[in-house]
Amino acid sequence: MLRLPILLFCTTFSLFISQAQNTSGETPDYLQKLIDSSNVAYESGNYGKSLELNVKIVEQAKVINDTSSLQKGYRFLGYDYLILDDITLARENFEKSQKFAIISNDKKALGQSFMDLANLYGRQNSSLSKALEYHNKSIEIFKELKDTINLGSAYHNTIVNLQEANRFEETLFYLQEVDKIKYQVNPTIRASIQNLWAKYYLENEDYEKADYYLSELLQDSRLSHLKVELADGYLLYSKSLYAQQKYKEAYDNAILYQDLNAENLKKLQTEESQKIAASFQVNEYKENIEKTQLKNQLQAEIVKSQSNWNKFLILIIAGAILLLFVFYRHYGIRKDYVKNLKIKNQEYLIAKNKSEELSKAKTAFFSTVSHELRTPLYGVIGLSTILMDDPKLASHKQDLKSLKFSADYLLALINDVLQINKIDSKKPEDSSENFNLREFLSNIVSSFEYMKLQNNNSIHVHIDERIPRTIYGNATRLSQVLMNLVGNACKFTENGDISITLKATEITEEQAKIKFIISDTGIGIPEENQQSIFNEFAQVSSNQNQLSYQGTGLGLPIVKRLLALSNATLQLESTEGEGSVFYFTLDFELSQDEEVAINTPQINDDALEGKHILIVDDNRINQIVTTKILQKFGVNCSVANNGQEGIDLAKKLELDLILMDIHMPVKDGLEATQEIRLFNEQLPIIALTAVEVKEMRYKIYDAGLTDIIVKPYDISMFKQTILRNLSSKKNELNSLSQPA
């Protein structure tokens, strides 16, 4: 929900810019044209052009000492810099605008200047008190002037700042004041006020009144084609319905929000692109100004030097003066060069820091997206799996299979997008290990057993005898590559053969160069499409039978990028209607170990019978799914809704194991685990989480958790992880009980 306040802010900026033209005072026609052009450029998102025009307004207004135009020009410049995130320059220009509002004795302009500074400080959470101080000053002035339009804007922005700070009770007064002055004449502003009322009542759990304002918001947004406000209305309505336990309607509105939000995100990306382009224009314009100033300074120095030269000629010391002049000129050029170099270095460091901040923000965003998407998927996949095993629902088994397939497909898409992001951010998995290549391939083939039977295919594995059994390399990366390539072969082949062939192209005492070949007898790839399939979101279509195959279009781009990390290239040979062959070559070191066992030890499933496991999770659906899965294996389950409840139950109950969510209210999973470890060091605590493990792994283990299960998970893997930890606990207790 971070998007809405930002959009409200931008709407308010546009409103203020338009109103600034009504400030009292005669404005010359040529300046008024510049003001109108600046407003058009700003409204269209051309912030670089807007800044250029506003600089001209200030320069020309200075010539005729037009304080009213100077106030407007500096005000417009403030909003240009604010939209480009240059807080320092924005504040300087707003303060200059206020100075000229005081000089021109224009109370309305002065009230607007207070509102400008309130908007500036409102963007900084730590400066909320300062923002409210300026809001109150602007409200007092607009009340005195009986300016209802600007008074409504001041109330509106005060409400936004207070709600962003979760100070909802303080917003009631301002909401009532906005209603009194009939501020909602503009559809966008009216929708914004309805949104703020709905948030207020949702926070106070008055769902009847919240639903009333949300229904008005949705109706007005549809009529006025306000897509951002409509999307936020769907999301708020979904939350209200969910809180009222109207889950079906809540789900329907959540789907409407997701569809519309995807469309809005595309628009937001376009606006961000305009903003980035504007930043480049602004920097270029600044450089042009600096170059002009430097040129004027240089010309002045040349004139001065020529004058001195003439004087020295008269005094008949031309030779000595010429030498000094050359030295002075050389020194000045060198000094300017060093100065410019320092400026460029500073600009580079600023750009580098901004780039690093953007990279961190992108990583945090994908981590949040991973958690927010995987959490509901865990509920969908888990519940559909449980329902498929219910004999009472045998008639719906096919529907449930379709539901689970759709959820699994969505999970695969999410994982693919996150994998692309990891590679783009240069944070790929890079852990090499010893592994048994033959058992490794056997496990990969077995994972496609269901798809093989579904399409009536045969999978063959051929390994060159010269290839050692145990090699050293990145097994995780190789697994991702082969799973994608074999998965594609299975998907695009029916009633055919798929072959995985490994050839030793070079074997030395220390290294093995192995060529991997994955071939199939499927539909093949037309020659004109053989380059485009390596592009993201590209899909294969068959001209032969006019069939389209569903897919994300990310598998082959991921394979290509992963192989590039290992300095390898993916090659393709294919004939439409006959099949395809993908191949690549990788270098591996020879392992010093004769044999590496990768199969996990078999653990008795009956060991779960009668065990007592505590589930700590704030999501009720996830609680139900985990409980039902464990109860199938005879486990006794207790449930805690947050970390503090988990600590309390861990003290009271005799537990065999805890499944601990990470992100929870009151007290998160890491804090809860640290407190439990103060009075129980042996109890296995497994992180059951939907967060990206790469970013959290060290924090999880440092907090005292013993293992990690990522949601959604395979049930057999889930069971084996729990059994392994129960077995480890038993062995540890046995060793402690033995005499030293």
Side-chain angles (χ1 to χ4, degrees):
M1 290 299 296
L2 292 175
R3 192 181 72 258
L4 182 58
I6 294 171
L7 292 176
L8 288 175
F9 238 32
C10 293
T11 302
T12 309
F13 291 169
S14 302
L15 182 64
F16 292 155
I17 294 294
S18 300
Q19 291 169 354
Q21 297 175 31
N22 297 324
T23 305
S24 60
E26 289 249 352
T27 303
D29 289 342
Y30 67 93
L31 274 175
Q32 188 60 51
K33 287 180 181 179
L34 286 175
I35 291 171
D36 294 338
S37 299
S38 168
N39 198 30
V40 170
Y42 183 91
E43 292 289 338
S44 63
N46 191 347
Y47 306 117
K49 185 65 176 177
S50 172
L51 184 138
E52 180 181 353
L53 291 168
N54 292 331
V55 170
K56 289 182 179 178
I57 292 170
V58 170
E59 290 175 346
Q60 296 191 21
K62 282 181 179 178
V63 173
I64 62 174
N65 196 27
D66 184 348
T67 56
S68 177
S69 296
L70 281 169
Q71 182 267 329
K72 295 175 188 176
Y74 282 121
R75 187 166 188 249
F76 289 5
L77 281 170
Y79 279 107
D80 285 334
Y81 287 118
L82 190 58
I83 204 70
L84 295 171
D85 293 325
D86 195 332
I87 301 299
T88 302
L89 287 178
R91 184 175 63 252
E92 290 178 4
N93 282 277
F94 283 147
E95 290 172 349
K96 289 179 181 178
S97 172
Q98 186 178 72
K99 170 187 170 184
F100 284 103
I102 295 171
I103 292 173
S104 60
N105 197 26
D106 189 337
K107 268 208 162 185
K108 182 176 180 180
L110 181 60
Q112 289 176 335
S113 73
F114 284 131
M115 189 157 53
D116 300 337
L117 290 167
N119 289 335
L120 174 73
Y121 288 108
R123 292 187 60 165
Q124 302 167 284
N125 293 334
S126 59
S127 303
L128 178 61
S129 59
K130 194 78 172 175
L132 293 175
E133 177 185 342
Y134 282 116
H135 278 312
N136 291 332
K137 288 183 179 180
S138 66
I139 288 171
E140 289 175 5
I141 291 175
F142 295 139
K143 278 184 177 179
E144 180 182 343
L145 296 174
K146 297 181 180 179
D147 184 347
T148 56
I149 297 297
N150 277 306
L151 181 59
S153 297
Y155 282 140
H156 173 273
N157 292 340
T158 305
I159 297 166
V160 170
N161 289 153
L162 287 170
Q163 287 195 355
E164 286 178 339
N166 291 320
R167 292 164 61 172
F168 284 85
E169 288 305 316
E170 298 176 47
T171 64
L172 179 59
F173 167 77
Y174 297 102
L175 286 165
Q176 292 171 338
E177 291 298 311
V178 167
D179 281 348
K180 286 179 185 177
I181 62 176
K182 307 297 183 186
Y183 177 58
Q184 305 97 309
V185 292
N186 180 285
T188 304
I189 299 299
R190 183 167 60 251
S192 176
I193 297 299
Q194 290 163 347
N195 181 293
L196 296 172
W197 269 112
K199 282 185 177 178
Y200 172 79
Y201 283 116
L202 275 176
E203 179 68 17
N204 288 279
E205 299 181 358
D206 188 342
Y207 302 114
E208 181 179 353
K209 290 183 180 178
D211 290 351
Y212 165 78
Y213 281 103
L214 287 171
S215 63
E216 294 289 323
L217 169 61
L218 293 173
Q219 181 180 351
D220 290 348
S221 298
R222 291 191 195 99
L223 290 174
S224 302
H225 305 290
L226 304 174
K227 294 186 178 180
V228 172
E229 289 74 12
L230 184 59
D232 286 310
Y234 284 137
L235 182 58
L236 288 173
Y237 197 31
S238 172
K239 289 186 174 182
S240 176
L241 291 167
Y242 187 87
Q244 300 172 60
Q245 298 183 356
K246 299 178 181 179
Y247 300 120
K248 174 63 171 62
E249 296 160 273
Y251 175 78
D252 292 341
N253 278 272
I255 292 299
L256 290 171
Y257 162 75
Q258 289 177 352
D259 293 342
L260 191 55
N261 189 49
E263 181 179 346
N264 290 337
L265 281 174
K266 291 182 181 178
K267 182 179 178 182
L268 184 63
Q269 289 171 352
T270 301
E271 293 173 353
E272 286 298 319
S273 299
Q274 292 175 340
K275 183 175 174 181
I276 292 169
S279 297
F280 282 112
Q281 292 175 346
V282 169
N283 290 333
E284 184 179 355
Y285 188 69
K286 286 180 181 177
E287 290 176 2
N288 290 336
I289 292 174
E290 291 173 357
K291 288 179 181 177
T292 302
Q293 293 174 342
L294 187 64
K295 183 178 179 182
N296 292 337
Q297 291 174 0
L298 186 61
Q299 288 176 344
E301 289 176 4
I302 292 172
V303 170
K304 183 178 179 180
S305 299
Q306 287 177 342
S307 176
N308 291 335
W309 173 248
N310 291 332
K311 290 179 182 179
F312 292 140
L313 280 175
I314 295 171
L315 297 173
I316 317 174
I317 52 174
I321 294 301
L322 177 63
L323 183 62
L324 290 173
F325 171 73
V326 171
F327 174 78
Y328 173 76
R329 185 181 177 86
H330 175 74
Y331 173 77
I333 293 173
R334 183 177 180 276
K335 186 177 180 181
D336 289 342
Y337 175 79
V338 172
K339 181 180 178 182
N340 289 333
L341 185 61
K342 289 180 178 179
I343 292 172
K344 292 297 181 183
N345 286 338
Q346 290 175 350
E347 291 175 350
Y348 167 75
L349 289 174
I350 292 171
K352 178 175 176 290
N353 291 335
K354 286 185 177 180
S355 175
E356 290 175 351
E357 289 174 4
L358 286 172
S359 178
K360 290 178 182 177
K362 180 181 176 183
T363 300
F365 169 75
F366 273 96
S367 180
T368 302
V369 166
S370 168
H371 179 266
E372 293 301 320
L373 291 177
R374 283 175 172 165
T375 296
L377 272 178
Y378 170 60
V380 175
I381 294 173
L383 286 174
S384 59
T385 302
I386 292 168
L387 293 174
M388 283 171 61
D389 293 335
D390 191 339
K392 296 177 183 178
L393 299 175
S395 60
H396 297 283
K397 191 166 185 177
Q398 190 58 42
D399 296 331
L400 292 169
K401 282 185 178 179
S402 299
L403 173 63
K404 186 174 184 300
F405 172 80
S406 298
D408 288 338
Y409 174 80
L410 180 56
L411 177 61
L413 172 58
I414 293 167
N415 290 336
D416 282 347
V417 172
L418 292 172
Q419 181 65 41
I420 286 285
N421 175 62
K422 282 183 183 179
I423 299 172
D424 286 343
S425 62
K426 299 181 181 178
K427 292 183 178 179
E429 303 272 345
D430 191 16
S431 54
S432 295
E433 59 182 318
N434 293 323
F435 64 99
N436 186 310
L437 185 58
R438 285 158 179 77
E439 291 184 6
F440 172 83
L441 289 174
S442 175
N443 287 342
I444 287 179
V445 171
S446 64
S447 66
F448 291 99
E449 186 67 22
Y450 174 76
M451 188 179 289
K452 181 184 76 171
L453 296 174
Q454 187 180 37
N455 289 355
N456 193 28
N457 290 324
S458 298
I459 300 179
H460 312 280
V461 178
H462 308 283
I463 303 176
D464 191 330
E465 293 182 355
R466 295 179 298 161
I467 297 175
R469 295 186 62 81
T470 304
I471 57 176
Y472 180 82
N474 195 322
T476 302
R477 188 179 297 167
L478 178 60
S479 174
Q480 291 173 316
V481 170
L482 292 178
M483 290 291 285
N484 273 298
L485 292 178
V486 177
N488 273 355
C490 291
K491 181 166 65 172
F492 294 112
T493 304
E494 294 181 3
N495 304 313
D497 293 294
I498 297 158
S499 296
I500 305 171
T501 304
L502 275 62
K503 293 182 178 179
T505 59
E506 184 181 344
I507 301 290
T508 67
E509 293 182 357
E510 298 179 349
Q511 197 175 47
K513 188 183 292 289
I514 303 174
K515 183 176 184 180
F516 294 80
I517 306 168
I518 294 84
S519 61
D520 63 68
T521 58
I523 63 172
I525 304 168
E527 186 175 353
E528 62 271 17
N529 294 340
Q530 290 183 12
Q531 292 301 320
S532 64
I533 61 169
F534 295 103
N535 299 330
E536 292 174 13
F537 305 110
Q539 296 177 343
V540 177
S541 62
S542 173
N543 297 329
Q544 185 181 22
N545 49 23
Q546 301 300 316
L547 290 176
S548 291
Y549 290 80
Q550 295 297 321
T552 65
L554 290 173
L556 289 177
I558 288 174
V559 169
K560 184 178 179 182
R561 294 187 185 198
L562 287 173
L563 288 175
L565 295 174
S566 299
N567 298 318
T569 304
L570 182 63
Q571 303 290 336
L572 165 65
E573 294 177 4
S574 182
T575 303
E576 187 176 5
E578 296 182 9
S580 303
V581 179
F582 290 88
Y583 57 92
F584 58 91
T585 302
L586 291 174
D587 292 333
F588 295 94
E589 295 180 20
L590 297 187
S591 172
Q592 300 301 317
D593 299 332
E594 291 296 325
E595 193 67 38
V596 176
I598 64 172
N599 289 329
T600 57
Q602 294 298 315
I603 303 174
N604 185 6
D605 291 358
D606 295 336
L608 285 174
E609 184 75 32
K611 297 297 182 184
H612 192 176
I613 293 178
L614 173 61
I615 301 165
V616 186
D617 198 319
D618 63 316
N619 187 295
R620 297 298 175 88
I621 295 177
N622 291 351
Q623 291 174 4
I624 294 170
V625 171
T626 306
T627 300
K628 286 185 175 292
I629 290 173
L630 290 173
Q631 286 176 343
K632 284 176 59 180
F633 304 116
V635 175
N636 298 320
C637 297
S638 295
V639 176
N641 296 307
N642 55 61
Q644 185 58 55
E645 290 184 16
I647 295 168
D648 296 339
L649 289 176
K651 290 179 179 178
K652 295 177 183 179
L653 303 175
E654 288 292 332
L655 299 171
D656 294 293
L657 184 138
I658 296 178
L659 293 173
M660 181 75 71
D661 191 15
I662 298 301
H663 292 312
M664 292 182 292
V666 183
K667 192 164 288 186
D668 65 29
L670 300 181
E671 294 172 324
T673 301
Q674 288 171 341
E675 289 199 31
I676 292 172
R677 287 300 179 221
L678 295 176
F679 59 86
N680 193 330
E681 296 182 358
Q682 283 77 39
L683 182 65
I685 305 177
I686 300 177
L688 184 59
T689 178
V691 300
E692 266 293 282
V693 174
K694 175 76 174 174
E695 286 74 19
M696 290 290 294
R697 184 180 300 278
Y698 296 111
K699 291 183 180 179
I700 288 172
Y701 287 128
D702 285 346
L705 288 107
T706 53
D707 214 330
I708 303 171
I709 298 175
V710 180
K711 296 184 289 192
Y713 49 73
D714 176 74
I715 292 179
S716 62
M717 179 277 295
F718 171 72
K719 179 177 61 176
Q720 290 295 320
T721 303
I722 292 175
L723 286 169
R724 182 175 65 249
N725 280 271
L726 288 173
S727 176
S728 297
K729 177 193 175 187
K730 182 178 178 181
N731 293 335
E732 186 175 347
L733 290 174
N734 289 338
S735 64
L736 289 173
S737 64
Q738 292 176 358

